[in-house]
Amino acid sequence: PLWDALAFVPLAGVAIQLGDHDRAAALLEEAHAICRAGRIMWTTTFILHMKAYLAADLGDFARASELYRENLTLAWAMRDHRFFPSALGGFAWMVAARGDPERACRLCGALDAWLEVTGVGLTRTGRIGYERALATAHTRLGEPACAAAREAGRTLRPETILANCLPSLANCQSR
């Protein structure tokens, strides 16, 4: 089942790149069903992240928020150093898009520190979320305020980040 589920992910990525969002969503849903049935957790974090990115890219912030919440929770529970920061980059994008650019910059600062400490890189979709969060925040705050918030975020511990993100993701659904 692992390889069956994984086979759908690159196909979904290609569908996203080609703008075939319906096909991408169907492929990711199929992969997610296989993972749920087989209790394949690592691949589930990957699929949740892709589904969240797709929903956010389509402007469905309520669905993206729900998926990022699941992604963050599962990645943290598994101590997955690859998908936790990528989900955090996507979450920062949601925070910025929902009108809290200062907080988005703090989350990006926390993410910067996490990446330096762990030495991992963001997934492609995590990088896009991170860059969109920063671009939105820079536009709304300006460089000095964004840089200050980002520096302040570098001191946040992962447990604090997670505790602060999860209630906020639930609040995003109602907006």
Side-chain angles (χ1 to χ4, degrees), residues 3-79:
W3 296 111
D4 294 340
L6 278 175
F8 288 109
V9 176
L11 295 173
V14 170
I16 290 169
Q17 291 298 313
L18 294 174
D20 190 350
H21 297 112
D22 291 338
R23 179 77 176 136
L27 289 164
L28 291 170
E29 199 53 50
E30 179 71 20
H32 198 185
I34 291 168
C35 287
R36 279 192 303 265
R39 296 183 181 182
I40 305 167
M41 296 295 114
W42 182 85
T43 306
T44 299
T45 62
F46 187 26
I47 292 165
L48 286 169
H49 182 77
M50 291 288 292
K51 288 173 71 173
Y53 170 82
L54 179 60
D57 200 40
L58 292 172
D60 187 350
F61 295 121
R63 179 74 177 135
S65 296
E66 180 182 308
L67 291 163
Y68 278 126
R69 179 193 311 112
E70 259 188 277
N71 189 201
L72 282 163
T73 302
L74 181 59
W76 182 253
M78 293 176 53
R79 299 294 190 246

Side-chain angles (χ1 to χ4, degrees), residues 27 107 144 164 172:
L27 289 164
L107 291 171
N164 289 325
C172 282

Side-chain angles (χ1 to χ4, degrees), residues 90-105:
F91 174 65
W93 174 21
M94 294 296 93
V95 170
R98 292 296 188 167
D100 194 349
E102 184 178 341
R103 185 156 180 244
C105 283

Side-chain angles (χ1 to χ4, degrees), residues 124-150:
R124 181 179 178 280
T125 51
R127 170 71 49 200
I128 290 169
Y130 170 82
E131 289 172 355
R132 288 179 179 175
L134 285 176
T136 301
H138 279 130
T139 299
R140 293 185 181 163
L141 287 178
E143 179 58 35
C146 191
R150 200 166 166 191

